[in-house]
Amino acid sequence: MMRTAVHYRMWIGGQWMDSETGETITVINPANGELVGSVPKGGRTETEQAVRAAEQAFPVWSGLTAADRGSYLKKWAEEIRREREPLARLLTFEQGKPLSEALEEVDAAADFSEWYGEEAKRVTGEILAGSKPKQRILVIRQPVGVAALITPWNYPATMVTRKMAAALAAGCTVVLKPASQTPLTAVFLMQLLEKTGLPPGVANLVTGAASEIGRALMENRSVRKISFTGSTEVGKQLIQSSAGQVKRLSLELGGNAPLIVFSDAEVDRAVKAAVGNKFENCGQMCNGINVIYVHERLVEEFLQQLTERVRSLRVGFGWEPGTQIGPVIDEAGREKVAELVRDAVMRGARVLTGGRLLTDGQLANGTFYAPTVLSDVTYDMRVTQEEIFGPVAPVVSFSDEEEILKRVNDTPYGLAAYFFTRDIQKAFMAAERLEFGMVAVNGTSLSVPQAPFGGIKESGQGREGGHYGMEEFLNIKYISMNL
Ligand code: ADP
């Protein structure tokens, strides 16, 4: 499909600008290799400018009433909803996901902004009993100051609003650095934010070299908080480099989410949910199911239903109606998926469907991988240990429930876990025993505005969503008041 490439600029201190050097980064459509657009390749200079703008805007923004801050966020949600079609189309062109999913994502992005627009008003404190007759103890919450937000390419709209709406509601001013694969959606969102009349400098966006911008943000004393979503590897680097200034961090990192189908589960329901979650966004979701563990009594039926459904998934260009699976984000991502499947097959896994690159016909210039089901999967295979981040569903058969709970906990990750059972006791027992930040029972829905999304262990720290998500952008101050 022919489309005119767009050039989008950075937004700093209320001005739209290119980089000092004039260099740009191109954005490629992963479905057909065509140019979607470009953004400036900003670096240290632009990052420092953006932080200064945010710092200058902070007293004004944090000094507004919470209701006033909230009204900008509610307007942002309205603007996003008004532009949902073009925004979703742009998202699909730069990211690859089916338009239906992009529309859902845009709607969810608006919901986050609206929700935090309401929540802004609910920041509270406490008054505690003093230790002397004339002492009063006040506990208040204040915005941390300038917050830097670093977002990934898999959900280029919701990751922006989930962080930014919480930060702005809390009274922080922000510098956003979106992923270089998908910066255009972020710029579009900033254009819509500008339409709300937001004072200049309250929100800023820089695009460009991640490590340079990351370093400039980390070294800048005015940046009081970094909220990052991305790989565990980069998350660990950020923890190390934050030590210099003891900077506050929120990290949403990788995962290795199990889906356990216990012996009393409803197979149809579990299969449907498994396909919906596993193949959403072509399997590129940090809380997405990595491996499916099915009780041996159900495994044959489960595999049969699963394979049938996966075979019927329509792979193609996200902007064509009916497409259910788009491309993997880039060649490196696809190669990792292919490598994990090769490793599994070499160690004895069976490919029930898929298991190959899709390189024929109109898909030839994209990074497509066939939706795949693997059976006879064992724990020595890399697919069970590593985050696949692609359209591959490995299935492990188990017999011992105790053992399976131990097994799935035996991972450095701890983001999300899913299981199906009709037994209420088992449901509570497993939900409490699973060492993950989020557990879904008999379903897979997790990311909603009011709930605390986030992980434990190497999946990160801090939470996004709900009042928990706002705490990340607030400092607690204790005032001892003596009369
Ligand atoms: P993924 O590509 O798996 O989402 P990354 O961790 O590579 O994960 O990227 C997530 C976000 O972090 C992107 O916006 C990327 O530009 C940014 N990023 C990558 N490396 C660094 C770094 N060293 N410092 C700060 N941000 C980084």
Side-chain angles (χ1 to χ4, degrees):
M1 173 178 220
M2 286 305 290
R3 212 171 162 272
T4 321
V6 289
H7 177 67
Y8 275 174
R9 290 185 290 176
M10 296 185 285
W11 194 37
I12 299 174
Q15 304 291 318
W16 294 97
M17 53 175 79
D18 282 308
S19 71
E20 194 187 42
T21 60
E23 283 181 82
T24 58
I25 296 179
T26 53
V27 181
I28 301 297
N29 184 333
N32 59 14
E34 284 178 13
L35 182 72
V36 185
S38 56
V39 289
K41 188 175 179 191
R44 177 172 290 272
T45 311
E46 293 81 3
T47 306
E48 284 172 357
Q49 243 178 307
V51 173
R52 261 196 310 278
E55 203 182 359
Q56 275 164 14
F58 180 69
V60 174
W61 183 248
S62 57
L64 292 182
T65 64
D68 282 347
R69 284 198 303 271
S71 72
Y72 286 103
L73 294 172
K74 285 184 245 173
K75 274 187 225 152
W76 194 21
E78 276 170 35
E79 294 293 344
I80 294 170
R81 288 184 184 125
R82 189 170 304 136
E83 295 292 322
R84 78 190 274 273
E85 292 271 344
L87 193 48
R89 289 183 75 77
L90 183 68
L91 202 166
T92 288
F93 281 115
E94 70 173 348
Q95 201 275 344
K97 69 179 63 181
L99 188 59
S100 54
E101 284 187 27
L103 285 164
E104 277 175 28
E105 184 182 340
V106 168
D107 292 341
D111 292 345
F112 275 110
S113 190
E114 181 182 80
W115 197 88
Y116 277 113
E118 294 158 352
E119 190 65 9
K121 290 182 279 195
R122 298 194 189 100
V123 176
T124 59
E126 257 184 317
I127 299 174
L128 307 175
S131 289
K132 295 179 211 137
K134 290 199 166 180
Q135 186 194 31
R136 305 288 180 270
I137 294 174
L138 277 57
V139 181
I140 64 168
R141 287 189 170 78
Q142 294 178 302
V144 295
V146 176
L149 316 174
I150 305 175
T151 54
W153 50 262
N154 58 347
Y155 288 85
T158 44
M159 293 305 98
V160 169
T161 61
R162 191 164 82 176
K163 289 184 194 302
M164 197 179 278
L168 295 178
C172 294
T173 53
V174 299
V175 176
L176 169 68
K177 151 70 181 87
S180 295
Q181 291 97 326
T182 59
L184 303 174
T185 303
V187 182
F188 199 150
L189 285 168
M190 293 308 103
Q191 292 173 352
L192 298 176
L193 187 53
E194 185 186 30
K195 283 194 182 172
T196 66
L198 195 78
V202 171
N204 305 274
L205 169 133
V206 289
T207 51
S211 53
E212 192 181 332
I213 294 173
R215 207 172 314 121
L217 290 169
M218 203 52 97
E219 287 169 8
N220 196 314
R221 292 209 170 261
S222 303
V223 176
R224 297 291 167 79
K225 161 90 198 185
I226 295 192
S227 173
F228 167 83
T229 299
S231 61
T232 295
E233 190 192 339
V234 172
K236 287 179 182 176
Q237 288 171 21
L238 295 178
I239 293 174
Q240 276 178 338
S241 54
S242 69
Q245 297 173 11
V246 196
K247 236 187 251 304
R248 273 184 77 176
L249 292 177
S250 302
L251 305 167
E252 297 287 352
L253 311 175
N256 180 358
L259 163 63
I260 306 171
V261 182
F262 287 111
S263 57
D264 61 321
E266 291 171 75
V267 175
D268 305 11
R269 206 171 151 197
V271 170
K272 221 169 140 192
V275 175
N277 172 295
K278 175 87 231 183
F279 294 92
E280 177 176 334
N281 201 16
C282 193
Q284 305 167 108
M285 180 161 77
C286 53
N287 59 309
I289 296 162
N290 207 49
V291 178
I292 306 172
Y293 303 86
V294 187
H295 191 271
E296 60 184 6
R297 276 217 328 256
L298 306 177
V299 77
E300 207 172 308
E301 191 189 347
F302 187 93
L303 278 169
Q304 195 220 325
Q305 286 195 30
L306 177 70
T307 308
E308 207 170 294
R309 273 185 185 269
V310 173
R311 261 197 206 118
S312 71
L313 290 173
R314 277 180 58 185
V315 182
F317 296 152
W319 55 90
E320 285 179 356
T323 296
Q324 289 164 297
I325 305 274
V328 178
I329 190 71
D330 54 24
E331 198 51 67
R334 178 165 75 164
E335 184 42 42
K336 161 107 195 274
V337 173
E339 194 186 309
L340 291 180
V341 172
R342 278 198 297 273
D343 169 81
V345 170
M346 200 184 73
R347 293 173 199 269
R350 278 196 307 144
V351 177
L352 300 188
T353 183
R356 63 199 169 86
L357 312 185
L358 293 175
T359 53
D360 296 339
Q362 65 167 8
L363 303 186
N365 295 323
T367 40
F368 291 90
Y369 194 87
T372 299
V373 176
L374 299 176
S375 72
D376 301 278
V377 171
T378 50
Y379 298 108
D380 58 332
M381 300 174 188
R382 285 176 57 196
V383 279
T384 63
Q385 312 299 328
E386 296 176 36
E387 190 173 32
I388 303 167
F389 239 57
V392 176
V395 178
V396 173
S397 169
F398 75 90
S399 54
D400 185 333
E401 291 180 354
E402 270 299 310
E403 194 210 322
I404 204 65
L405 288 173
K406 284 203 193 100
R407 280 275 186 190
V408 301
N409 280 338
D410 184 19
T411 162
Y413 295 109
L415 189 58
Y418 307 87
F419 66 83
F420 281 75
T421 181
R422 281 182 280 195
D423 179 333
I424 186 93
Q425 261 176 323
K426 202 181 292 177
F428 272 97
M429 182 273 296
E432 290 174 12
R433 290 254 316 260
L434 286 163
E435 295 170 4
F436 295 82
M438 302 177 283
V439 177
V441 186
N442 294 328
T444 55
S445 161
L446 285 175
S447 179
V448 291
Q450 67 275 32
F453 190 100
I456 59 171
K457 292 155 82 179
E458 292 185 26
S459 289
Q461 53 195 38
R463 291 294 179 270
E464 288 189 63
H467 63 86
Y468 308 92
M470 239 162 103
E471 292 288 339
E472 303 287 327
F473 295 100
L474 293 165
N475 285 329
I476 285 179
K477 182 183 282 174
Y478 144 40
I479 302 169
S480 171
M481 189 71 80
N482 297 283
L483 308 179

